[in-house]
Amino acid sequence: MRGINKGFGPVHVLHDVDLDVYRGQVTALVGDNGAGKSTLVKCLAGIYTIDSGQIMFDGRPVTIHGPREAADLGIEIVYQDLALCDNLDIVQNMFLGRERTNRLGLDEVAMELLARETLATLKVRTVKSVRQKVASLSGGQRQTVAIAKAVLWDSKLVVLDEPTAALGVAQTRQVLDLVRNLANQGIGVVLISHNMVDVFEVADRIVTLFLGRVAAEVLRADTTQTQVVELITSGRSGDIGLQRAEQVQV
């Protein structure tokens, strides 16, 4: 994403935002509430139309008019509310809106097989049966299903919005392992999180937004949690970050 600008009436939310995501890497997108993370992701998903700037995908410029076009490119977003149906089982949720059919109707066998293969590829071992109702799953298992649903469609880029929010220690461990497995399979991952422990455990690169601007993009190995927190709260840490004029300009 290059020079992305987005406003709502008189409010300028994103200011010339640049974001690079690479195959096989986890890019953490961090920032305080109101920094513009959700707006940026919705621009990527085609929910919002950008005012100016350019989106490049696989080396070519693209215009994304809606979530279906984003999905066709291989971009999948897993939102914080997960968008799962409690009354359906895991297979039905994973194929919801994209059901496989044969001449007799729904191809339940093919869908179940693909669901099993996807979960196995992601090394998911906590789900007893793909025919369990989602209502019976724990928070970590629900997150696992939502992520598996996203990668089922030959995804190239997966965006995870606060995937460990409200999860316990064991469930968080399960989800973080899954995030790393996605990157190990060559998928580009964007991790949105307020949890610096999670970010520093799985991220390769960290992009910090401050009041709608990119304060810094750093390698996780070259920075500390303290520096990232300073970038989140003030837009600057030592020699890294926005200049004074940019920090105060809204």
Side-chain angles (χ1 to χ4, degrees):
M1 305 180 82
R2 286 287 176 268
I4 302 299
N5 285 276
K6 179 62 183 175
F8 299 94
V11 181
H12 198 170
V13 180
L14 297 177
H15 305 257
D16 297 319
V17 172
D18 293 342
L19 176 67
D20 295 301
V21 182
Y22 300 93
R23 292 179 186 272
Q25 290 190 13
V26 178
T27 302
L29 182 62
V30 301
D32 209 347
N33 292 333
K37 304 185 299 298
S38 295
T39 301
L40 184 63
V41 168
K42 288 178 180 178
C43 289
L44 178 62
I47 296 172
Y48 293 154
T49 302
I50 60 175
D51 296 334
S52 63
Q54 188 176 52
I55 300 176
M56 306 279 292
F57 197 79
D58 271 347
R60 59 187 178 88
V62 296
T63 301
I64 304 173
H65 297 289
R68 180 65 70 181
E69 290 187 10
D72 289 343
L73 288 170
I75 301 171
E76 295 285 345
I77 318 290
V78 180
Y79 294 101
Q80 194 168 353
D81 62 5
L82 303 183
L84 298 176
C85 298
D86 283 352
N87 60 314
L88 301 180
D89 64 31
I90 292 173
V91 175
Q92 291 168 328
N93 267 282
M94 288 178 66
F95 284 89
L96 189 61
R98 303 175 182 179
E99 291 82 359
R100 293 288 180 92
T101 59
N102 55 29
R103 58 190 179 83
L104 300 176
L106 293 178
D107 193 340
E108 296 283 0
V109 174
M111 290 190 289
E112 182 170 328
L113 180 60
L114 280 170
R116 290 179 183 276
E117 289 177 350
T118 302
L119 291 170
T121 300
L122 295 174
K123 299 180 181 179
V124 175
R125 301 182 181 90
T126 59
V127 174
K128 294 179 181 179
S129 169
V130 292
R131 288 302 179 180
Q132 282 180 263
K133 289 285 194 292
V134 164
S136 69
L137 301 179
S138 68
Q141 290 171 325
R142 288 169 183 251
Q143 187 72 58
T144 296
V145 171
I147 294 172
K149 177 182 178 180
V151 303
L152 181 63
W153 309 104
D154 194 27
S155 305
K156 299 176 181 177
L157 170 62
V158 175
V159 181
L160 305 173
D161 187 4
E162 297 284 358
T164 60
L167 296 184
V169 175
Q171 294 174 337
T172 296
R173 174 75 273 150
Q174 168 191 333
V175 171
L176 292 179
D177 288 344
L178 187 53
V179 171
R180 200 62 251 177
N181 283 338
L182 292 179
N184 291 341
Q185 292 180 31
I187 296 173
V189 181
V190 176
L191 172 67
I192 301 174
S193 180
H194 285 94
N195 189 316
M196 290 300 105
V197 174
D198 293 352
V199 166
F200 273 79
E201 181 161 347
V202 298
D204 298 289
R205 296 160 49 253
I206 302 171
V207 177
T208 307
L209 285 180
F210 179 78
L211 297 179
R213 291 180 170 83
V214 174
E217 177 182 336
V218 295
L219 294 174
R220 185 251 322 189
D222 295 339
T223 191
T224 65
Q225 289 191 35
T226 300
Q227 287 177 310
V228 173
V229 170
E230 288 176 351
L231 288 166
I232 290 172
T233 56
S234 65
R236 191 166 181 82
S237 177
D239 296 331
I240 306 171
L242 298 169
Q243 299 302 315
R244 183 68 62 182
E246 293 176 297
Q247 286 177 281
V248 298
Q249 183 179 356
V250 178

